[in-house]
Amino acid sequence: MKKLLGGLILFICIQSCKQSTEYKNFLHDPALFSHTVHELNTVVMGNNFPPMVASRNYAYAAIAAYEVIAAAYPDQYTSLGGQLKGLQQHNISAIDAEADIELATLLAYMKVGESVTFPEGSMKLYEDSILQVARDKGLSRKIEEASRKLADSISMHIIRWSKKDNYLETRGAEKYAVKKIPGRWVPTPPMYATAVEPHWHEIRPLVIDSAGIFDPPPPPVFNMSDKESKYYQEVIAIKNAIDSLTPEQKHIAEFWDDNPFKMNVTGHVMFGSKKFSPSGHWMSIVGIAGKKANADFATHVYAVAKTSIALFDAFIQSWYVKYKYNTARPETIINEYIDPNWRPYLQTPAFPEYTCGHSTISSAAAEALTSVFGDNFAYTDSTELEFGIPNRSFKSFRHAAEENNWARFYGGIHFHNSCIVSTDLGQRVGRLIVDRLKMKK
């Protein structure tokens, strides 16, 4: 009888250890963090947030997740406290040995992700689903509670900090004044929407010293009366390109469109369609790169955080230039001076043309990712498959950013000069961030 009882106890112990391994295998899989980023991406898309606002959400969520990793593994990662504008060091007493670091990282990402911009509970169902799977695989209440305590401590520190970035103040700031001045931005068809976030350059940056730290040269002077002028040549170049796009060029434009809310017009019927924003597209690329590199959980979190920071500051830099010059879109100029029926291949976004936001943030993200995974990191980007757009393959992150440069031109929404200047601008932002931040030791 004693022998039988001893065997039963041994069996229970073995099963308990097995269960423990099962929940850890689930929670510690880098793919789960990548999927969680995708879930936030989906929530952002569903709520129609413009690209620069989306970058804010991704950045704070990723920073919270990274700070959990840095607190748990101080010999491998350095806290961003004292490195990012206004972020103080968060003094955490000894971390509870019962806490599961990966679970705390996921909980922090989700808590900040939904609280910075969204109504409370936007990721609740997803969080509940993760926890239920983990519980079914052996996650104990004690470990779950210790993990949440760690996550909440860091999350609240990040949330309090986020509220001081001037976001709320800009909600009530003065609207963009539409003025009928030749060459100045005005609303474009088919939505004729008002200018998006004209005060985004007033948001507190994370790393760069100020919104205007890199001040590119002014755009070509508006001049449609002189066919030899730089401005006129830019206008003709984009009109001719759109009038004769090849299938490959159309694919490139569509792949990098990343319009979070496109207004489709068919006769008298109008309906909206959604895709990931430019920053959301790059969040997806981080996941693709992490999987290919077989990066561990912590490295994946580090890559997401670094890229998110680059995207955030690059948007601030670009928006400073956009509303400094307030330049008209190609569609507006061509309709007024050349062909009233001309339309770009992509739908024109509701903000000034110079500089190109997508080119700026893509180049900045490419620099951040190159610093994590290295240059000449070839990969296939499958981000757009869920929107019915075939994959594209790249030799490196910088190669992808360079293609994005052409994509905005092929889309008919940016003069090529703007894309060239913006690519350089984004690289400078990205390199500054890479040089200044001390993250992975």
Side-chain angles (χ1 to χ4, degrees):
M1 182 67 181
K2 288 183 179 179
K3 189 175 182 180
L4 179 62
L5 182 60
L8 180 59
I9 293 173
L10 179 61
F11 174 77
I12 291 173
C13 289
I14 291 173
Q15 288 301 108
S16 176
C17 291
K18 183 179 179 181
Q19 286 182 329
S20 176
T21 300
E22 286 178 356
Y23 91 78
K24 287 183 178 179
N25 288 343
F26 170 67
L27 290 175
H28 299 190
D29 186 349
L32 179 59
F33 186 77
S34 181
H35 191 272
T36 303
V37 173
H38 182 274
E39 184 67 20
L40 179 59
N41 220 347
T42 302
V43 172
V44 169
M45 179 177 66
N47 282 273
N48 297 335
F49 286 101
M52 68 302 298
V53 177
S55 76
R56 178 178 183 267
N57 192 272
Y58 297 133
Y60 288 126
I63 291 166
Y66 175 82
E67 286 300 289
V68 174
I69 294 295
Y73 309 117
D75 293 338
Q76 301 174 52
Y77 293 91
T78 301
S79 170
L80 291 168
Q83 296 194 71
L84 302 182
K85 304 291 183 187
L87 180 61
Q88 302 299 315
Q89 287 280 359
H90 182 45
N91 296 319
I92 303 176
S93 55
I95 294 176
D96 190 332
E98 294 289 344
D100 184 276
I101 302 306
E102 287 76 10
L103 174 57
T105 301
L106 292 162
L107 292 173
Y109 184 88
M110 291 184 285
K111 184 178 182 70
V112 175
E114 73 170 22
S115 66
V116 172
T117 306
F118 305 111
E120 185 177 354
S122 57
M123 293 193 75
K124 185 67 167 58
L125 288 177
Y126 177 75
E127 179 183 314
D128 288 346
S129 69
I130 287 178
L131 289 173
Q132 190 56 58
V133 172
R135 291 166 188 155
D136 291 344
K137 292 180 178 293
L139 175 67
S140 70
R141 178 177 294 181
K142 190 174 183 180
I143 292 174
E144 182 179 332
E145 289 177 350
S147 304
R148 188 176 291 280
K149 182 179 178 180
L150 173 60
D152 286 349
S153 175
I154 290 176
S155 295
M156 293 312 300
H157 180 64
I158 299 302
I159 290 170
R160 286 191 292 270
W161 167 61
S162 74
K163 290 180 178 179
K164 298 177 182 179
D165 71 353
N166 210 38
Y167 175 77
L168 292 178
E169 289 78 359
T170 59
R171 300 309 87 193
E174 183 181 359
K175 302 293 184 182
Y176 177 88
V178 176
K179 301 175 182 178
K180 191 61 177 176
I181 299 174
R184 181 180 169 88
W185 185 86
V186 294
T188 54
M191 294 177 67
Y192 293 98
T194 56
V196 175
E197 298 293 341
H199 296 277
W200 196 256
H201 64 282
E202 298 171 17
I203 299 294
R204 176 190 61 198
L206 296 174
V207 179
I208 61 175
D209 296 326
S210 66
I213 184 173
F214 299 120
D215 204 357
V221 177
F222 174 79
N223 187 348
M224 288 300 291
S225 61
D226 181 2
K227 293 185 178 181
E228 300 302 318
S229 71
K230 171 69 172 173
Y231 190 89
Y232 190 93
Q233 292 298 316
E234 288 283 325
V235 172
I236 292 301
I238 199 167
K239 180 183 183 304
N240 290 343
I242 303 313
D243 291 347
S244 58
L245 288 176
T246 67
E248 172 71 356
Q249 290 169 338
K250 290 179 180 179
H251 182 205
I252 291 172
E254 292 166 358
F255 186 82
W256 292 103
D257 180 20
D258 299 327
N259 188 344
F261 188 80
K262 177 185 177 183
M263 181 59 71
N264 302 278
V265 181
T266 305
H268 296 289
V269 178
M270 300 180 70
F271 64 94
S273 58
K274 302 177 181 181
K275 286 191 289 190
F276 292 150
S277 67
S279 45
H281 190 149
W282 279 97
M283 286 292 92
S284 177
I285 291 172
V286 181
I288 292 167
K291 182 177 180 180
K292 181 178 179 184
N294 197 28
D296 60 23
F297 193 99
T299 300
H300 197 112
V301 175
Y302 157 60
V304 169
K306 199 171 197 179
T307 306
S308 299
I309 291 168
L311 291 167
F312 184 91
D313 274 8
F315 265 117
I316 291 174
Q317 174 68 66
S318 179
W319 253 244
Y320 162 78
V321 184
K322 279 185 179 293
Y323 288 98
K324 177 179 180 178
Y325 294 107
N326 297 303
T327 55
R329 291 281 181 167
E331 182 171 13
T332 300
I333 301 304
I334 294 172
N335 286 172
E336 183 170 353
Y337 293 91
I338 300 175
D339 180 359
N341 298 314
W342 186 89
R343 291 292 179 268
Y345 187 66
L346 300 180
Q347 192 167 108
T348 300
F351 34 80
E353 189 272 336
Y354 183 84
T355 53
C356 174
H358 208 330
S359 290
T360 305
I361 67 103
S362 292
S363 293
E367 293 304 309
L369 281 167
T370 298
S371 75
V372 176
F373 297 110
D375 203 358
N376 300 315
F377 185 96
Y379 67 97
T380 295
D381 186 351
S382 57
T383 300
E384 301 301 307
L385 267 184
E386 60 185 285
F387 307 111
I389 302 171
N391 299 346
R392 292 194 66 80
S393 295
F394 304 98
K395 296 179 290 186
S396 68
F397 303 115
R398 289 168 177 152
H399 176 215
E402 182 66 24
E403 180 176 278
N404 172 271
N405 175 326
W406 284 101
R408 311 314 273 172
F409 176 71
Y410 294 150
I413 57 179
H414 278 287
F415 299 119
H416 199 232
N417 176 73
S418 297
C419 298
I420 294 171
V421 171
S422 303
T423 297
D424 175 69
L425 186 63
Q427 288 173 347
R428 294 167 74 185
V429 171
R431 288 169 185 165
L432 178 66
I433 289 168
V434 169
D435 289 343
R436 285 190 178 179
L437 290 185
K438 309 303 177 187
M439 298 176 74
K440 192 170 186 177
K441 296 180 179 178

